[in-house]
Amino acid sequence: MLLAMRRALLAILACWACSEPDASVAPAGERQPPSLVVILADDLGYADVGFQGLRDFATPNIDRLAHRGVRFTNAYVSHPYCSPSRAGLLTGRYQHRFGHVRNPKFRAGEGLPLSETLLPQALAEAGYVSGIVGKWHLGDAPRFHPLERGFDEFFGLLGGGHDYFKSAGADAGEYLIPLEAHGEPIPVEGYLTEQLTEAALDFVRRHAEQPFFLYLAYNAPHGPLQAPPELLDRVNSIGDPRRQTYAAMVTSLDDGVGEVLALLEELGISDGTMVFFLSDNGGPTPANASDNTPLRATKGTVYEGGVRVPFVLAWPGHLPAGSTYDAPVSALDIFPTAVATAGIETPANLDGVNLVPYLLGAEGAPPHEQLFWHSDEGGQFATRTAEHKLVRVLDREPELYAIGEDISESDPASEDDGRIRELFRAIESWHADHPPPAWPGTRGERPVHPNTAKGLGADQAELDAWMARRSE
Ligand code: CA
């Protein structure tokens, strides 16, 4: 029975995969490619959804999504903070390949380089209508606007965050400028997370008859910590007021996920719609009272607490419900998974992988032999395989962890010099042809390009000296 079902699913997928790239909008009566919803939380803690072990409040709707699909137990984003992570997600490429390694400064003319193709641009080939609701953070200058990057609709905030209750004039700061809705400035009305949910529901209702891509990028639970009394009341068993406010913000996000799922069901398109849920980076635990247990460190670091995230893919009727997948996966995989499922030829320059054949068991090997991270704040590099992770922070000794067993990165597995050298070389090779950052930093970032004096690639002598010290 299961085998027959799997064969039927593979046949359906093969049918989509073999459709011509220019077979854009399917004629009436023919099967359409599946619609796509990507729900992105902002700064959500690793332990702060029910299926990750949350204890002090509940996320029943995000959990329901997980029960309807595949929960990834080794899932990562490609950067430990907001904008570079989103650049990777929407291009399917390590953002280091195009210099997008820092947050763009507001009103500084910085943004995701125009050389890159974004997911909505690719999906347009198959007749998708694409909308972003929520946080953009990939450049606020007109040429970087979401409507110039393949999205047909934009409702949300251009910058890196926003006040949840109010907005001011156009000259206000990044977190207080008006929202934008279909080309017009509008104020925050009510509570921002609920306002974004309403906009998402409106998008789905208007486009339910055609393949759509909804990028629902909530800015919750990113700071500022703000929630209305009725939401705070729902989590009033939490004694710490900051944690209570954070929990109320996540509760509103969870409500939104529930409303989107309910609408898909009401419209009869739940089984045909692929839904991803993830966070853009780990929780900044001191800043927003999030909880990354059992991971080490926080947003901004290449330790697991910065880059390992809750991650779900639900595609009811197509992927096994209530299952888990343990091999490492990446937010970079969303782009190729979406375009392959839409029947579009996958661009050759992607770093992500179409996950569907792996989830159906048609591919037995892991999707990635190795994943990489680099943040120039503090000069941090890391790579992991199924078994090992090497963390390399400039001016500190390399740290090797048996990450398959030591998820908390608590016990350096320093006995394996050969493995350290191998992973060190892999980082060096991965990073070697990355261009310099596309714009200047603001927070004391250090030059770490191999062509610079202190770059990783110039560290052969330093590595040798360290190895020699260890063997003494
Ligand atoms: Ca973030």
Side-chain angles (χ1 to χ4, degrees):
M1 177 64 185
L2 278 176
L3 188 61
M5 189 181 295
R6 178 170 289 173
R7 283 187 183 136
L9 297 177
L10 287 171
I12 291 168
L13 290 166
C15 176
W16 276 323
C18 70
S19 58
E20 292 296 322
D22 61 353
S24 51
V25 180
E30 289 190 12
R31 177 181 293 276
Q32 290 185 346
S35 289
L36 171 68
V37 178
V38 176
I39 304 174
L40 188 64
D42 192 353
D43 290 8
L44 182 68
Y46 190 69
D48 288 332
V49 290
F51 65 80
Q52 296 282 110
L54 178 63
R55 290 284 179 269
D56 55 352
F57 64 102
T59 57
N61 295 296
I62 299 170
D63 294 350
R64 185 157 67 93
L65 182 67
H67 290 141
R68 293 170 55 171
V70 183
R71 178 170 67 85
F72 298 94
T73 60
N74 285 265
Y76 294 91
V77 288
S78 59
H79 199 88
Y81 58 84
C82 301
S83 181
S85 171
R86 289 153 198 265
L89 190 161
L90 285 175
T91 61
R93 282 156 52 76
Y94 281 114
Q95 59 284 349
H96 314 80
R97 293 190 184 280
F98 44 92
H100 194 127
V101 295
R102 297 163 176 165
N103 285 340
K105 292 182 286 296
F106 190 58
R107 290 183 177 140
E110 300 163 350
L112 203 166
L114 302 179
S115 57
E116 299 305 305
T117 299
L118 272 59
L119 179 55
Q121 294 172 301
L123 290 175
E125 287 184 36
Y128 281 67
V129 59
S130 294
I132 163 174
V133 174
K135 169 170 159 174
W136 176 238
H137 207 199
L138 294 171
D140 61 281
R143 65 186 183 282
F144 298 126
H145 193 278
L147 299 184
E148 299 294 326
R149 309 307 299 270
F151 285 102
D152 301 292
E153 298 186 16
F154 171 49
F155 185 112
L157 49 141
L158 281 173
H162 207 282
D163 190 284
Y164 288 86
F165 290 116
K166 65 179 186 291
S167 44
D171 295 332
E174 183 174 7
Y175 281 41
L176 283 171
I177 59 169
L179 304 179
E180 184 176 323
H182 310 295
E184 300 295 329
I186 65 162
V188 175
E189 292 180 339
Y191 186 56
L192 178 55
T193 302
E194 294 170 354
Q195 191 175 11
L196 296 179
T197 296
E198 285 303 317
L201 298 176
D202 176 58
F203 177 87
V204 172
R205 283 194 199 98
R206 287 186 287 106
H207 299 295
E209 300 295 321
Q210 68 185 108
F212 63 79
F213 166 35
L214 169 63
Y215 175 47
L216 179 49
Y218 286 107
N219 57 313
H222 191 292
L225 284 177
Q226 295 173 331
E230 59 271 24
L231 280 166
L232 291 167
D233 284 346
R234 288 170 59 186
V235 289
N236 60 13
S237 63
I238 299 176
D240 172 21
R242 296 179 70 254
R243 176 73 180 172
Q244 183 189 7
T245 307
Y246 171 86
M249 296 168 76
V250 175
T251 295
S252 183
L253 191 164
D254 184 71
D255 288 348
V257 172
E259 290 187 54
V260 171
L261 295 182
L263 179 60
L264 295 176
E265 288 165 5
E266 177 190 323
L267 295 170
I269 56 175
S270 180
D271 284 1
T273 300
M274 188 177 254
V275 181
F276 286 91
F277 174 86
L278 71 163
S279 179
D280 71 333
N281 49 252
T285 52
N288 72 351
S290 52
D291 181 359
N292 289 333
T293 303
L295 306 183
R296 177 174 178 175
T298 69
K299 171 184 178 178
T301 77
V302 298
Y303 290 108
E304 297 289 274
V307 293
R308 188 164 177 156
V309 294
F311 196 131
V312 166
L313 168 57
W315 194 19
H318 301 273
L319 294 177
S323 62
T324 56
Y325 186 75
D326 295 329
V329 301
S330 169
L332 302 175
D333 300 331
I334 293 174
F335 186 122
T337 301
V339 297
T341 306
I344 303 164
E345 190 173 348
T346 305
N349 64 354
L350 301 187
D351 293 303
V353 175
N354 173 19
L355 293 175
V356 172
Y358 295 90
L359 303 179
L360 292 177
E363 291 279 358
H368 299 274
E369 286 188 12
Q370 206 159 356
L371 292 170
F372 297 92
W373 298 271
H374 166 45
S375 171
D376 65 0
E377 289 191 27
Q380 308 175 75
F381 291 86
T383 184
R384 85 156 277 186
T385 62
E387 296 177 339
H388 286 115
K389 180 174 176 185
L390 184 73
V391 175
R392 168 70 166 130
V393 180
L394 287 182
D395 297 337
R396 285 165 48 180
E397 296 186 344
E399 302 160 40
L400 180 70
Y401 298 100
I403 197 66
E405 303 161 4
D406 181 14
I407 185 175
S408 302
E409 295 167 299
S410 58
D411 182 22
S414 55
E415 76 286 354
D416 194 344
D417 286 1
R419 192 65 171 144
I420 290 174
R421 284 186 183 276
E422 182 185 335
L423 294 174
F424 199 96
R425 294 286 166 260
I427 291 175
E428 188 179 48
S429 173
W430 171 73
H431 188 56
D433 60 353
H434 292 164
W439 56 84
T442 57
R443 293 192 275 186
E445 297 88 341
R446 297 181 48 176
V448 288
H449 190 265
N451 295 333
T452 64
K454 193 60 179 171
L456 189 62
D459 274 352
Q460 179 63 54
E462 186 184 344
L463 178 65
D464 287 344
W466 177 74
M467 287 291 185
R469 284 200 306 277
R470 289 180 68 250
S471 60
E472 283 172 357

